[in-house]
Amino acid sequence: MLKQRTIQKAVSTIGVGVHSGQRVELTLRPAEPNTGIVFHRIDTPEMIDFPAFAENVGNTRMASVLVNGEYRVSTVEHLMSALAGLGIDNLHIDLSGEEVPIMDGSAATFVYLIRSAGIVEQDAPKQFIRLKRVVEVIEGEGDSAKWARLEPYPGFALAFSIDFKHPAIASTANFAEVDFAVDSFSKDIARARTFGFAQEVELLRSAGLGRGGSLDNVIVLDEYRILNEDGLRYDDEFVKHKILDAIGDLYLAGKPLLAKYVACKSGHDLNNKLVRALLAQPDAYEVVTYEAEVAKAAGFGRDWQLA
């Protein structure tokens, strides 16, 4: 039986929140089988829990934000993406502030952190959400339409289209597709960084966002070009980062998906609505487990090596 996974030992790092600008210490701790992914605010009078579920997302402006009463944990998507990519089912995540640190703007640092902690199997079957029929959400009409869809699929694949009216982005690929039966999260997705526009900086900061952003953790564009001296990590880094975000947002379903995700101009809000739409239709999916041999044959676990 393909088993659930957690990390072998606690591991910590320190970084800055891209929106809050605050210094945050993050600690990953092992969790018991069937715990799921749970964030904890440890800077509050009493520790507050934030189970990583789509229904607990209370804000999706520029990030996926978990809420519990008046408290929140912001920008969970990159870490959630790394956990999905490495097959981590159960984990405690302690934060000394309200935002997961941005690190270099990708999921690569979190992949390194998880692997340095070691990945261990647990005595419980790994559960998947298997799509039985198509679930779709659409906003807008015509050329302005945005949509995201989940389709039945024997593994996990994503296809994403972007349409930014910017010369530097338009000169790169506006479509990318990955299938984790053949592609590697760590090599093909994890290093894609978030991006933003220099002309929007003051507007974002006046709204309390982007205060920790810099050329060290964001691909920054002026009206015509990329300002980062080192350029892009992938030829299609912009659309690859949208895929990275989607992987993290989809993992808020609470279990890995057996599905193909297809989207056009989607973002955190539409991704969250898609997961909520799926979970609101029990006839659209089933929860399944797999024998390890079957899972290996289907391509699951390309990046799920034990370390």
Side-chain angles (χ1 to χ4, degrees):
M1 186 67 68
L2 195 64
K3 296 181 178 181
Q4 294 181 27
R5 296 184 173 197
T6 188
I7 58 174
Q8 189 170 32
K9 62 182 180 182
V11 62
S12 299
T13 191
I14 295 173
V16 173
V18 69
H19 293 306
S20 66
Q22 296 177 348
R23 180 179 179 275
V24 184
E25 182 173 356
L26 172 138
T27 299
L28 309 181
R29 296 186 286 114
E32 294 297 312
N34 300 310
T35 299
I37 309 300
V38 185
F39 290 82
H40 308 279
R41 287 279 301 273
I42 61 171
D43 60 319
T44 51
E46 295 183 359
M47 187 170 71
I48 300 174
D49 302 335
F50 300 81
F53 294 124
E55 64 187 18
N56 294 334
V57 172
N59 188 301
T60 52
R61 185 181 182 189
M62 305 295 290
S64 289
V65 181
L66 298 171
V67 297
N68 184 344
E70 64 181 295
Y71 295 97
R72 46 187 263 160
V73 168
S74 178
T75 320
V76 302
E77 59 271 10
H78 298 173
L79 178 52
M80 289 297 295
S81 191
L83 297 175
L86 297 183
I88 303 298
D89 302 278
N90 306 301
L91 194 69
H92 294 293
I93 303 166
D94 297 338
L95 290 166
S96 67
E98 72 167 31
E99 188 174 14
V100 176
I102 191 63
M103 309 315 290
D104 72 343
S106 75
T109 301
F110 299 127
V111 168
Y112 173 81
L113 198 65
I114 294 161
R115 285 184 167 160
S116 68
I119 301 172
V120 294
E121 290 186 334
Q122 299 176 285
D123 192 20
K126 189 178 188 76
Q127 296 182 325
F128 296 83
I129 295 174
R130 188 180 76 83
L131 265 287
K132 298 170 66 176
R133 61 174 174 82
V134 172
V135 175
E136 185 176 51
V137 291
I138 303 172
E139 291 184 352
E141 298 179 351
D143 293 341
S144 64
K146 301 185 290 186
W147 53 269
R149 181 171 68 241
L150 290 170
E151 305 171 352
Y153 196 72
F156 184 48
L158 303 95
F160 205 109
S161 299
I162 58 174
D163 183 20
F164 287 92
K165 309 302 183 185
H166 188 285
I169 298 178
S171 68
T172 69
N174 61 10
F175 174 82
E177 186 168 8
V178 293
D179 186 332
F180 290 108
V182 294
D183 297 307
S184 163
F185 176 84
S186 300
K187 294 179 181 178
D188 300 318
I189 299 296
R191 297 180 65 247
R193 294 162 294 173
T194 192
F195 55 95
F197 304 95
Q199 61 267 33
E200 296 179 357
V201 169
E202 291 306 317
L203 180 63
L204 287 172
R205 289 183 175 172
S206 66
L209 300 169
R211 294 176 177 175
S214 72
L215 292 170
D216 293 327
N217 53 41
V218 178
I219 302 172
V220 181
L221 303 105
D222 64 13
E223 293 182 3
Y224 307 103
R225 61 191 176 93
I226 297 167
L227 300 182
N228 306 64
E229 292 184 2
D230 57 348
L232 298 179
R233 295 175 175 178
Y234 305 112
D235 292 340
D236 53 358
E237 188 167 0
F238 297 108
V239 68
K240 283 282 183 69
H241 185 78
K242 299 295 285 186
I243 289 176
L244 185 156
D245 278 347
I247 292 170
D249 290 339
L250 294 175
Y251 203 33
L252 291 168
K255 297 177 176 64
L257 299 179
L258 298 180
K260 184 172 184 178
Y261 166 89
V262 186
C264 178
K265 297 184 286 188
S266 186
H268 299 302
D269 183 61
L270 209 59
N271 291 338
N272 183 255
K273 289 176 179 175
L274 180 63
V275 175
R276 288 178 182 242
L278 168 66
L279 299 179
Q281 303 174 64
D283 63 328
Y285 68 93
E286 62 181 344
V287 177
V288 299
T289 60
Y290 281 91
E291 294 295 333
E293 294 78 8
V294 175
K296 185 177 180 181
F300 305 145
R302 177 169 289 272
D303 283 277
W304 296 358
Q305 304 95 333
L306 296 179

